[in-house]
């Protein structure tokens, strides 16, 4: 579980987040939505200590972030970033990098590490590209590779920044199925998504940010009913009841 209390953070002395309080709870998918530049990526980075805080508190599994080492944080929370470098190594080797928090020096992988990497590759639907170099892959394939690396950490919390970018619709839906499976295992899952309809359909909790502030936080139905989605995003989101529940669309 990750708890944010009055979190403030930014870049080069300029504050981007202005006192945001929310939690990523075990067994739940929390989706962050909002316009470009509203602070979604900043929030994930600050929650993991990758960006300095200018105020507020962060707790990971009950311990204040500042009391944890980088290795301890990496053993509790995995992060899939928005911007990713593509080194000239195989997808399988990149996936093994997710085991770094558990290795000593010099780094020597164990049978358990190799097994964890194979499980992660299968879960990320990346076994078919495991032997290929990241430099040869499409954007969507690289997303699957970096998802595998995050899953290989086997943490209680998983934070992903725009994980569906570049993916075709089949792999987007497969990724959301993976997120749901992780939540069902009791993990806290947090995603940044730009597809509001997908977010409303899949999120247990939806956090809507605007200009660094949390303007709405609740179930998809609660956030939809608040009217803040239309006001914040400048679109008209509508819904219709189907045998599978509410289906959302842009009017």
């Amino acid at each position: 579980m990750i708890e944010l209390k009055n979190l403030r953070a930014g870049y080069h002395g300029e504050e981007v987040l202005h006192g945001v309080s929310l939690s990523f709870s075990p067994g739940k998918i929390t989706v962050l939505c909002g316009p470009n530049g509203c602070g979604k990526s900043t929030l994930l980075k600050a929650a993991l200590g990758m960006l300095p805080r200018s105020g507020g508190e962060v707790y990971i599994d009950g311990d204040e972030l500042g009391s944890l080492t980088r290795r301890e944080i990496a053993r509790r929370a995995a992060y899939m970033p928005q911007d990713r470098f593509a080194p000239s190594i195989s997808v399988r080797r990149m996936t093994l990098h997710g085991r770094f928090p558990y290795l000593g020096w010099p780094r020597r992988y164990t049978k358990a590490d190799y097994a964890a990497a194979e499980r992660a590759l299968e879960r990320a639907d990346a076994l078919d590209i495991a032997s290929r170099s990241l430099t040869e892959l499409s954007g969507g394939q690289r997303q699957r590779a970096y998802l595998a690396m995050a899953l290989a950490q086997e943490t209680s919390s998983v934070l992903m920044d725009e994980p569906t970018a570049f993916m075709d619709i089949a792999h987007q839906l497969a990724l959301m199925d993976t997120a749901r499976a992780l939540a069902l295992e009791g993990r806290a899952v947090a995603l940044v998504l730009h597809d509001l309809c997908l977010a409303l359909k899949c999120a247990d909790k939806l956090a809507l940010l605007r200009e660094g502030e949390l303007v709405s936080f609740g179930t998809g139905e609660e956030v939809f009913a608040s009217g803040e989605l239309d006001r914040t995003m400048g679109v008209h989101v509508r819904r219709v009841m189907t045998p599978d529940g509410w289906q959302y669309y842009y009017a």
Side-chain angles (χ1 to χ4, degrees):
M1 181 172 187
I2 299 179
E3 299 175 89
L4 315 178
K5 298 183 179 181
N6 198 33
L7 178 62
R8 296 177 178 274
Y11 304 88
H12 311 299
E14 182 176 348
E15 190 172 274
V16 175
L17 291 177
H18 313 301
V20 174
S21 297
L22 56 82
S23 61
F24 303 143
S25 300
K28 303 292 184 182
I29 297 175
T30 302
V31 177
L32 305 180
C33 291
N36 290 336
C38 70
K40 302 182 296 295
S41 298
T42 302
L43 187 150
L44 293 188
K45 291 176 182 177
L48 296 177
M50 301 171 64
L51 189 68
R53 289 172 280 165
S54 54
E57 300 167 279
V58 177
Y59 294 90
I60 300 182
D61 296 338
D63 294 319
E64 218 289 324
L65 182 67
S67 70
L68 301 173
T69 66
R70 292 301 309 160
R71 175 172 290 199
E72 288 171 333
I73 294 170
R75 288 181 175 183
R76 301 185 187 198
Y79 174 61
M80 181 178 170
Q82 177 182 12
D83 300 314
R84 303 163 189 89
F85 173 65
S88 184
I89 61 175
S90 72
V91 172
R92 180 169 280 108
R93 181 59 58 178
M94 174 62 75
T95 302
L96 278 166
H97 286 188
R99 303 302 299 169
F100 279 7
Y102 304 97
L103 303 181
W105 186 260
R107 295 187 179 116
R108 290 194 176 95
Y109 297 114
T110 66
K111 290 182 179 179
D113 295 318
Y114 286 110
E118 290 303 307
R119 287 194 299 271
L121 285 164
E122 181 176 10
R123 194 160 214 179
D125 193 22
L127 279 173
D128 62 324
I129 57 173
S131 299
R132 296 178 60 186
S133 170
L134 267 78
T135 58
E136 302 173 354
L137 303 180
S138 68
Q141 289 172 324
R142 289 181 187 177
Q143 293 290 83
R144 288 153 56 195
Y146 276 87
L147 173 62
M149 185 175 71
L151 296 178
Q153 286 180 237
E154 298 188 331
T155 53
S156 59
S157 296
V158 182
L159 281 59
M160 295 182 270
D161 195 351
E162 297 190 42
T164 59
F166 308 113
M167 285 184 173
D168 58 44
I169 187 63
H171 283 103
Q172 289 183 34
L173 296 176
L175 184 140
M176 297 311 299
D177 287 342
T178 298
R180 175 57 60 198
L182 291 170
L184 288 173
E185 293 170 4
R187 305 176 200 244
V189 181
L191 311 172
V192 171
L193 293 179
H194 280 294
D195 187 333
L196 297 179
C197 296
L198 184 62
L200 287 162
K201 179 68 175 177
C202 299
D204 296 307
K205 292 288 186 178
L206 196 151
L208 182 64
L209 297 171
R210 181 176 63 221
E211 296 181 353
E213 296 183 351
L214 184 66
V215 296
S216 188
F217 183 57
T219 65
E221 290 191 16
E222 289 169 341
V223 175
F224 176 84
S226 73
E228 286 292 350
L229 278 173
D230 286 10
R231 287 190 288 271
T232 297
M233 302 302 296
V235 297
H236 298 290
V237 182
R238 298 296 179 262
R239 67 182 182 179
V240 60
M241 179 57 75
T242 74
D244 296 321
W246 289 112
Q247 295 294 323
Y248 296 87
Y249 64 96
Y250 302 112

